[in-house]
Amino acid sequence: MNASAPAAPYWHRYYSTAEIERIRRVLQVRQLPSTGVTLHLDIYPQPRRGAPLLVLNHGGGGYGGLFVKLAMACHALGYTVVLPDQKGQGRSGGAMGDFTIDEAVQNIVDVARWARQEYGGTLYLGGGSVGSGLTYFAAAAMARDGDPPAAVLCHNLYDFGDPRTALEFTRFAVLARLPLLPPLFRALMRGLARLAPGLRLPYRPLAKFREMLDRRDWDGGFHELWRRDPHILTTVTARYFASVLGTPAAIPFEQNQAVPVLVTNPTRDRMVRPEVTRQSFLRLAGPRRYAELDFGHFSLQPEFTQQLARLADAWFKEHGAGG
């Protein structure tokens, strides 16, 4: 008897048969040790070494398989694209949902340095949602060490050193605007993390995940696929949640000079108020640019993907070899 064919990866279900065929012709899978675990990397390489290099970072609780359309759009513009799954997320090692902001940042730094050595080319970083803040934090850590990326794209921009940020992600965002509550909540979570760092807290009920996509995308069946996806977090540990409430960047927004930052802000965002990103941008020093997109928190529409990729490409070309 012939052995049955292995099941397709779950993330294939988010894409059409034609899209999967195009992806398969390009995609390579690698692994990399970082923060004591093995990271899963999806790589969309260019034929030539030295092509511009983009490390693209997923949002909180997600993984690289959800960013494939943006990766392919950037690949079509000439970039080698690396999509890492971070520790405790997606297909990477570590207990699911048990990681910290510092560990996620170190994952990105390790991947970026490895990719620059492996593929050559000018290095850029990008990310969306929680991955936007992680992208800036990783770029700042590299800048502190003297090897910053040429430029970064932050689709949204969040500061994990500000306890209001974590509350803004939740259904209780109104509480972030009460002056005394965010610091008090941070202190309580730090105490809980010291006492029971591995305590499991519900993840999906806290945030408005129904609003993760632009409402014009709601009829495509994404949410039902996402709800059943075995790689999507259902719980996180107390130490993770405490880290989101109080982990400062290596270089605060106001002191940035070394990292050129493009901030894109989705004005139809109902998951996290666009004002949070706008205020983060206004705090940024150094080379910066701001662009508003007429979409929700994220979108599956081709127009969104193409617009974001073109904005990133133009910004990267201003601040590096660009190909």
Side-chain angles (χ1 to χ4, degrees):
M1 295 179 62
N2 293 330
S4 59
Y10 188 93
W11 64 266
H12 283 198
R13 304 182 191 191
Y14 295 107
Y15 306 100
S16 69
T17 300
E19 287 172 325
I20 291 298
E21 287 305 310
R22 288 195 297 272
I23 292 163
R24 279 176 165 164
R25 289 195 289 267
V26 181
L27 176 62
Q28 297 178 5
V29 175
R30 300 284 291 272
Q31 294 184 327
L32 184 73
S34 174
T35 62
V37 303
T38 299
L39 303 182
H40 176 103
L41 312 181
D42 285 343
I43 301 174
Y44 300 82
Q46 294 294 331
R48 66 179 180 88
R49 177 177 171 80
L53 173 64
L54 173 60
V55 176
L56 191 57
N57 302 297
H58 62 76
Y63 63 107
L66 302 179
F67 266 43
V68 171
K69 288 188 177 182
L70 182 57
M72 289 294 285
C74 293
H75 183 269
L77 293 172
Y79 294 83
T80 287
V81 183
V82 180
L83 285 175
D85 293 1
Q86 292 147 21
K87 178 181 181 178
Q89 300 179 77
R91 298 150 293 178
S92 287
M96 288 286 283
D98 185 19
F99 57 95
T100 65
I101 292 297
D102 280 339
E103 288 173 323
V105 168
Q106 190 60 51
N107 290 162
I108 296 170
V109 171
D110 290 344
V111 170
R113 288 172 174 161
W114 170 83
R116 183 156 52 188
Q117 182 176 11
E118 183 77 6
Y119 295 101
T122 306
L123 174 67
Y124 307 96
L125 303 183
S129 192
V130 169
S132 70
L134 295 177
T135 291
Y136 174 82
F137 274 46
M142 296 179 74
R144 176 198 59 198
D145 296 341
D147 64 340
V152 303
L153 160 70
C154 293
H155 182 63
N156 318 113
L157 182 58
Y158 305 133
D159 181 4
F160 307 116
D162 184 345
R164 293 173 297 180
T165 296
L167 286 171
E168 288 282 4
F169 293 154
T170 72
R171 298 177 184 276
F172 314 108
V174 65
L175 301 180
R177 284 158 251 168
L178 300 178
L180 299 179
L181 187 61
L184 176 61
F185 190 53
R186 176 173 59 188
L188 290 173
M189 284 305 305
R190 283 176 171 173
L192 180 61
R194 283 193 295 269
L195 291 172
L199 178 67
R200 289 284 169 172
L201 304 172
Y203 187 63
R204 295 185 187 181
L206 289 176
K208 295 182 287 186
F209 281 110
R210 179 65 178 172
E211 304 289 356
M212 179 170 51
L213 286 187
D214 190 297
R215 291 194 169 194
R216 291 168 290 187
D217 295 317
W218 277 13
D219 294 334
F222 175 90
H223 282 287
E224 183 60 24
L225 289 172
W226 179 87
R227 189 177 68 83
R228 297 174 181 273
D229 192 330
H231 302 303
I232 299 295
L233 296 186
T234 57
T235 65
V236 293
T237 58
R239 77 185 191 104
Y240 162 74
F241 206 75
S243 77
V244 178
L245 285 157
T247 301
I251 301 173
F253 290 170
E254 294 85 354
Q255 296 176 22
N256 174 57
Q257 293 297 331
V259 181
V261 183
L262 167 64
V263 175
T264 56
N265 195 5
T267 57
R268 295 190 186 214
D269 195 343
R270 294 174 179 266
M271 188 176 185
V272 183
R273 294 184 306 129
E275 183 65 13
V276 178
T277 286
R278 194 177 78 86
Q279 290 300 321
S280 293
F281 171 79
L282 291 175
R283 291 172 50 200
L284 271 176
R288 62 177 190 167
R289 182 168 297 162
Y290 177 81
E292 293 185 342
L293 281 68
D294 186 29
F295 292 94
H297 189 74
F298 207 74
S299 177
L300 304 177
Q301 296 178 60
E303 295 82 3
F304 168 80
T305 303
Q306 294 300 322
Q307 186 176 351
L308 189 56
R310 286 195 298 268
L311 284 168
D313 182 47
W315 180 247
F316 294 161
K317 281 185 166 68
E318 284 187 32
H319 297 281

